[in-house]
Amino acid sequence: MNCSDCRGKRSWSYNCAGARTANPEGGRAGSDSWGRFADSHELSELVYSASNLLVLLNDGILRKELRRKLPVSLSQQKLLTWLSVLECVEVFMEMGAAKVWGEVGRWLVVALIQLAKAVLRMFLLIWFKAGLQTSPPIVPLDRETQAQSQDGDRSPGSREQSYVGKRSKRVVRTLQDTPSLHSRHWGAPQQREGRQQHEELSITPTPLGLQETIAESLYIARPLLHLLSLGLWGQRSWTPWLLSGVVDVTSLSLLSERKGLTRRERLELRRRTMLLLYYLLRSPFYDRFSEAKILFLLQLLADHVPGIGLVTRPLMDYLPTWQKIYFYSWG
């Protein structure tokens, strides 16, 4: 194919680099535009990682100020903090390693991060009996709720006390706190969300039996198994995709039989179940089956639904980047 045939087509911009170098003006403009596009992703990921780290640091300061410590030991809290830091910076570290050291450095950084995360999670599971591993490891503080609870603590008269039935779970307003007739609302009494969140965080994790521990260990080891299979069979092989899917499904099926999970643990299992849909967007399934259909659907929506192109066209441009970064699709 002649270079003039592929000029201006986005899908060929990565394959015609050699042909473009024959035309100095076209080649330089194309490479500069792609360089700016790639740099914009790295800069945005740096800002995103930094903001997450600031939120994590700020939450730690607020917890000390509000005396809302995590219901875990100091050593376990340090492990959770390091695990949270790794999850905040893993994508940026992968992108930075790829830019500085190339593909070899990128895969080395990915392997080291996944190994560190697996070791920390196994320590939490086996040594500290932390139960089901949730994401994020440390729940961010609800600042609005904390501010309201602080205001309520300063003005005791503004509190609305209520009683929750042990069997029916029905919320009933106490007689002492019944407002006057003109200011009374006939809905359910407002619950103290800050207190509920604090009580939920204070609940100890559900103890896991042997079957659940094996299932959680499989979930923790799945990234390492996937990386090992990638090294053995390559990125275009179906074996890593199938192996990872079997491990995820097996872990979920074993954990789904556990009764008496806390609300946060049930939400984590629901999140893992929804993440199974990501296998439709992971290579090689995406390359052979999903890509053409998804791009066709997005283009169809952009052409025929007014205004939707503002969302679908950037998404079409972003999908190749999402596929290229390991921690986006597999992390």
Side-chain angles (χ1 to χ4, degrees):
M1 178 179 287
N2 193 356
C3 182
S4 59
D5 295 333
C6 64
R7 186 177 300 162
K9 295 184 179 179
R10 188 183 304 275
S11 60
W12 284 94
S13 58
Y14 320 113
N15 301 328
C16 300
R20 279 179 177 168
T21 54
N23 184 358
E25 295 181 359
R28 188 162 52 247
S31 60
D32 290 345
S33 62
W34 168 245
R36 287 193 298 270
F37 184 74
D39 291 341
S40 67
H41 281 292
E42 293 162 359
L43 180 60
S44 63
E45 192 58 45
L46 173 61
V47 173
Y48 181 75
S49 300
S51 64
N52 285 338
L53 289 175
L54 287 176
V55 169
L56 182 64
L57 176 62
N58 194 17
D59 282 353
I61 296 174
L62 285 177
R63 282 193 175 93
K64 291 181 181 179
E65 182 68 22
L66 299 173
R67 297 178 181 178
R68 298 285 178 87
K69 295 183 179 180
L70 297 174
V72 295
S73 62
L74 182 60
S75 56
Q76 184 176 349
Q77 186 174 344
K78 289 181 179 180
L79 291 182
L80 290 172
T81 302
W82 278 111
L83 187 57
S84 300
V85 169
L86 285 177
E87 291 190 354
C88 288
V89 302
E90 58 187 4
V91 175
F92 176 72
M93 291 182 66
E94 178 187 350
M95 298 175 73
K99 193 170 185 64
V100 175
W101 298 305
E103 284 297 302
V104 176
R106 173 197 166 207
W107 286 111
L108 179 61
V109 168
V110 168
L112 290 177
I113 292 177
Q114 292 288 25
L115 180 61
K117 289 168 60 178
V119 170
L120 291 177
R121 285 173 173 166
M122 289 301 295
F123 263 109
L124 291 171
L125 177 66
I126 305 299
W127 186 263
F128 292 99
K129 308 296 182 183
L132 205 65
Q133 305 286 314
T134 57
S135 181
I138 300 178
V139 179
L141 282 176
D142 188 345
R143 286 162 173 75
E144 183 178 354
T145 302
Q146 296 297 333
Q148 291 176 356
S149 64
Q150 286 294 100
D151 294 340
D153 292 339
R154 296 190 187 98
S155 56
S158 63
R159 277 190 193 178
E160 186 179 32
Q161 299 293 337
S162 59
Y163 171 77
V164 181
K166 293 182 179 179
R167 295 176 60 186
S168 64
K169 302 299 181 181
R170 185 172 182 177
V171 182
V172 181
R173 187 183 291 106
T174 60
L175 293 177
Q176 292 82 359
D177 293 278
T178 302
S180 59
L181 185 62
H182 70 274
S183 61
R184 185 180 304 174
H185 65 87
W186 299 102
Q190 299 296 319
Q191 295 297 299
R192 298 303 302 274
E193 296 180 359
R195 183 187 304 169
Q196 288 179 348
Q197 183 188 27
H198 178 62
E199 290 176 353
E200 181 178 340
L201 292 177
S202 301
I203 297 176
T204 57
T206 305
L208 300 181
L210 179 60
Q211 175 178 312
E212 292 81 15
T213 303
I214 293 175
E216 191 64 14
S217 300
L218 286 175
Y219 175 77
I220 294 172
R222 192 266 301 166
L224 294 179
L225 294 175
H226 180 254
L227 281 175
L228 181 61
S229 60
L230 281 178
L232 293 176
W233 289 286
Q235 300 183 47
R236 295 184 177 275
S237 173
W238 282 92
T239 304
W241 188 88
L242 291 172
L243 176 62
S244 179
V246 168
V247 171
D248 273 338
V249 172
T250 303
S251 174
L252 279 172
S253 62
L254 293 176
L255 288 172
S256 62
E257 300 176 4
R258 185 68 168 89
K259 305 298 182 182
L261 297 176
T262 64
R263 178 177 176 272
R264 190 184 176 200
E265 291 169 341
R266 291 195 302 269
L267 290 176
E268 173 63 21
L269 287 183
R270 190 179 308 169
R271 185 191 71 88
R272 295 183 188 181
T273 304
M274 294 298 296
L275 287 180
L276 292 178
L277 295 175
Y278 272 30
Y279 280 91
L280 302 178
L281 300 176
R282 291 168 175 168
S283 298
F285 188 92
Y286 175 80
D287 299 332
R288 302 188 184 184
F289 300 104
S290 304
E291 182 179 15
K293 296 178 177 63
I294 292 175
L295 293 180
F296 174 76
L297 178 60
L298 293 177
Q299 188 64 49
L300 187 66
L301 292 174
D303 293 340
H304 294 86
V305 180
I308 198 69
L310 297 175
V311 178
T312 57
R313 288 192 178 94
L315 185 59
M316 293 169 64
D317 293 337
Y318 184 71
L319 277 175
T321 303
W322 190 88
Q323 282 285 317
K324 185 178 181 182
I325 302 301
Y326 180 84
F327 282 111
Y328 277 158
S329 54
W330 288 100

